[in-house]
Amino acid sequence: MADHIPFPVADGDSRPFWEGIAQHKLLIQRCENCQRHIFYPRSLCPYCFSDTLSWVEASGKGTIYSYTVVHQAYGPFAAQVPFVVAIVELAEGVRMMTRIAGAGPASVRIGMPVRVVFEQADENVTLPYFQLAEE
Ligand code: ZN
């Protein structure tokens, strides 16, 4: 069993996202045809099927769209319970599944403002989490 949580594997579509995270930038895609923001990373716009997508830096601000509290976990996650897994809606309109860092489950509510934080998981891997923010 690994002594750390599973790390993401960057592929062709997601590599720019993870390279941005390593530089503490939250990058999302924007369609050059219909101008909509897109997340998760992909090669075609899900709205107009254009393949002219560019990468833009998101504000890092969002709100908690939904969340759950993990009370039971195994392996490297077992020592971290309880923790909050949330779907955050970014100011740009896309939704992102993430962990809420630095806040106990009792202090998290739907609709709360959050902002991205970057956690160094090991010497090579940085992960994007969110923490509660002031309005
Ligand atoms: Zn489009």
Side-chain angles (χ1 to χ4, degrees), residues 30-38 44-53:
R30 186 177 58 206
C31 175
E32 295 297 332
N33 185 50
C34 72
Q35 305 302 314
R36 288 172 140 151
H37 289 98
I38 299 163
L44 293 177
C45 174
Y47 304 105
C48 74
F49 304 111
S50 169
D51 63 356
T52 55
L53 307 180

Short mmCIF file of all heavy atoms in Angstrom, two decimals, residues 30-38 44-53, ligand 1:
data_model
loop_
_atom_site.label_atom_id
_atom_site.label_comp_id
_atom_site.label_asym_id
_atom_site.label_seq_id
_atom_site.Cartn_x
_atom_site.Cartn_y
_atom_site.Cartn_z
N ARG A 30 -11.18 27.81 -21.92
CA ARG A 30 -12.26 28.66 -22.45
C ARG A 30 -12.35 28.38 -23.95
O ARG A 30 -11.34 28.31 -24.65
CB ARG A 30 -11.99 30.13 -22.21
CG ARG A 30 -13.19 31.01 -22.64
CD ARG A 30 -12.99 32.47 -22.33
NE ARG A 30 -11.80 32.96 -22.97
CZ ARG A 30 -11.08 33.99 -22.53
NH1 ARG A 30 -11.45 34.64 -21.46
NH2 ARG A 30 -10.01 34.38 -23.17
N CYS A 31 -13.58 28.26 -24.41
CA CYS A 31 -13.82 28.02 -25.82
C CYS A 31 -13.70 29.34 -26.58
O CYS A 31 -14.35 30.32 -26.23
CB CYS A 31 -15.22 27.42 -26.01
SG CYS A 31 -15.66 27.23 -27.75
N GLU A 32 -12.86 29.34 -27.60
CA GLU A 32 -12.67 30.57 -28.39
C GLU A 32 -13.87 30.83 -29.31
O GLU A 32 -14.04 31.95 -29.79
CB GLU A 32 -11.40 30.47 -29.22
CG GLU A 32 -10.13 30.40 -28.39
CD GLU A 32 -9.90 31.65 -27.55
OE1 GLU A 32 -10.35 32.74 -27.95
OE2 GLU A 32 -9.29 31.52 -26.47
N ASN A 33 -14.68 29.83 -29.55
CA ASN A 33 -15.85 29.99 -30.42
C ASN A 33 -17.05 30.55 -29.65
O ASN A 33 -17.61 31.57 -30.04
CB ASN A 33 -16.20 28.66 -31.08
CG ASN A 33 -17.33 28.81 -32.08
OD1 ASN A 33 -17.28 29.68 -32.95
ND2 ASN A 33 -18.34 27.97 -31.96
N CYS A 34 -17.44 29.90 -28.54
CA CYS A 34 -18.64 30.34 -27.81
C CYS A 34 -18.30 31.07 -26.51
O CYS A 34 -19.19 31.54 -25.82
CB CYS A 34 -19.58 29.17 -27.55
SG CYS A 34 -19.02 27.98 -26.31
N GLN A 35 -17.00 31.17 -26.17
CA GLN A 35 -16.49 31.95 -25.02
C GLN A 35 -16.85 31.36 -23.66
O GLN A 35 -16.65 32.00 -22.64
CB GLN A 35 -16.99 33.42 -25.09
CG GLN A 35 -16.65 34.13 -26.38
CD GLN A 35 -15.15 34.16 -26.67
OE1 GLN A 35 -14.36 34.45 -25.78
NE2 GLN A 35 -14.77 33.81 -27.88
N ARG A 36 -17.40 30.17 -23.63
CA ARG A 36 -17.74 29.58 -22.33
C ARG A 36 -16.50 28.96 -21.69
O ARG A 36 -15.61 28.47 -22.38
CB ARG A 36 -18.81 28.50 -22.51
CG ARG A 36 -20.17 29.07 -22.82
CD ARG A 36 -21.11 27.95 -23.16
NE ARG A 36 -22.43 28.17 -22.60
CZ ARG A 36 -23.53 27.69 -23.16
NH1 ARG A 36 -23.48 26.96 -24.25
NH2 ARG A 36 -24.70 27.93 -22.61
N HIS A 37 -16.49 28.96 -20.34
CA HIS A 37 -15.44 28.28 -19.59
C HIS A 37 -15.78 26.80 -19.48
O HIS A 37 -16.97 26.44 -19.45
CB HIS A 37 -15.28 28.91 -18.21
CG HIS A 37 -14.67 30.26 -18.26
ND1 HIS A 37 -15.43 31.41 -18.21
CD2 HIS A 37 -13.38 30.66 -18.36
CE1 HIS A 37 -14.62 32.47 -18.28
NE2 HIS A 37 -13.38 32.04 -18.38
N ILE A 38 -14.74 25.99 -19.38
CA ILE A 38 -14.90 24.53 -19.40
C ILE A 38 -14.03 23.91 -18.33
O ILE A 38 -12.87 24.27 -18.17
CB ILE A 38 -14.49 23.98 -20.79
CG1 ILE A 38 -15.36 24.56 -21.89
CG2 ILE A 38 -14.53 22.45 -20.79
CD1 ILE A 38 -14.76 24.40 -23.28
N LEU A 44 -12.60 18.96 -26.84
CA LEU A 44 -13.69 19.60 -27.58
C LEU A 44 -14.59 20.36 -26.61
O LEU A 44 -14.84 19.90 -25.50
CB LEU A 44 -14.55 18.56 -28.31
CG LEU A 44 -13.92 17.79 -29.47
CD1 LEU A 44 -14.90 16.76 -30.00
CD2 LEU A 44 -13.46 18.73 -30.58
N CYS A 45 -15.11 21.50 -27.05
CA CYS A 45 -16.07 22.25 -26.24
C CYS A 45 -17.37 21.42 -26.11
O CYS A 45 -17.92 20.99 -27.12
CB CYS A 45 -16.38 23.59 -26.90
SG CYS A 45 -17.70 24.49 -26.06
N PRO A 46 -17.86 21.21 -24.88
CA PRO A 46 -19.08 20.42 -24.71
C PRO A 46 -20.35 21.17 -25.14
O PRO A 46 -21.41 20.58 -25.23
CB PRO A 46 -19.11 20.12 -23.21
CG PRO A 46 -18.36 21.26 -22.60
CD PRO A 46 -17.29 21.65 -23.60
N TYR A 47 -20.23 22.47 -25.41
CA TYR A 47 -21.40 23.28 -25.80
C TYR A 47 -21.54 23.42 -27.30
O TYR A 47 -22.65 23.37 -27.83
CB TYR A 47 -21.32 24.66 -25.14
CG TYR A 47 -21.18 24.59 -23.65
CD1 TYR A 47 -19.96 24.85 -23.04
CD2 TYR A 47 -22.26 24.23 -22.85
CE1 TYR A 47 -19.82 24.75 -21.67
CE2 TYR A 47 -22.13 24.14 -21.47
CZ TYR A 47 -20.91 24.40 -20.88
OH TYR A 47 -20.77 24.29 -19.53
N CYS A 48 -20.41 23.65 -28.00
CA CYS A 48 -20.48 23.89 -29.44
C CYS A 48 -19.57 22.97 -30.25
O CYS A 48 -19.52 23.07 -31.46
CB CYS A 48 -20.19 25.35 -29.76
SG CYS A 48 -18.44 25.77 -29.59
N PHE A 49 -18.86 22.09 -29.59
CA PHE A 49 -17.99 21.09 -30.21
C PHE A 49 -16.79 21.70 -30.96
O PHE A 49 -16.15 21.02 -31.75
CB PHE A 49 -18.78 20.14 -31.12
CG PHE A 49 -19.90 19.46 -30.39
CD1 PHE A 49 -21.22 19.77 -30.66
CD2 PHE A 49 -19.62 18.53 -29.40
CE1 PHE A 49 -22.25 19.15 -29.96
CE2 PHE A 49 -20.64 17.90 -28.70
CZ PHE A 49 -21.96 18.22 -28.98
N SER A 50 -16.49 22.95 -30.68
CA SER A 50 -15.29 23.54 -31.26
C SER A 50 -14.05 22.92 -30.62
O SER A 50 -14.07 22.55 -29.44
CB SER A 50 -15.31 25.05 -31.01
OG SER A 50 -14.04 25.60 -31.35
N ASP A 51 -12.97 22.83 -31.39
CA ASP A 51 -11.72 22.37 -30.80
C ASP A 51 -10.74 23.53 -30.59
O ASP A 51 -9.57 23.31 -30.32
CB ASP A 51 -11.08 21.28 -31.66
CG ASP A 51 -10.69 21.76 -33.05
OD1 ASP A 51 -10.98 22.93 -33.38
OD2 ASP A 51 -10.09 20.97 -33.80
N THR A 52 -11.23 24.76 -30.70
CA THR A 52 -10.37 25.92 -30.45
C THR A 52 -10.53 26.35 -28.99
O THR A 52 -11.23 27.31 -28.67
CB THR A 52 -10.71 27.08 -31.39
OG1 THR A 52 -12.10 27.38 -31.27
CG2 THR A 52 -10.37 26.72 -32.82
N LEU A 53 -9.87 25.60 -28.10
CA LEU A 53 -9.94 25.88 -26.67
C LEU A 53 -8.62 26.50 -26.23
O LEU A 53 -7.56 26.10 -26.70
CB LEU A 53 -10.19 24.58 -25.89
CG LEU A 53 -11.38 23.74 -26.33
CD1 LEU A 53 -11.50 22.51 -25.45
CD2 LEU A 53 -12.66 24.55 -26.29
ZN ZN B 1 -17.83 26.39 -27.44
#
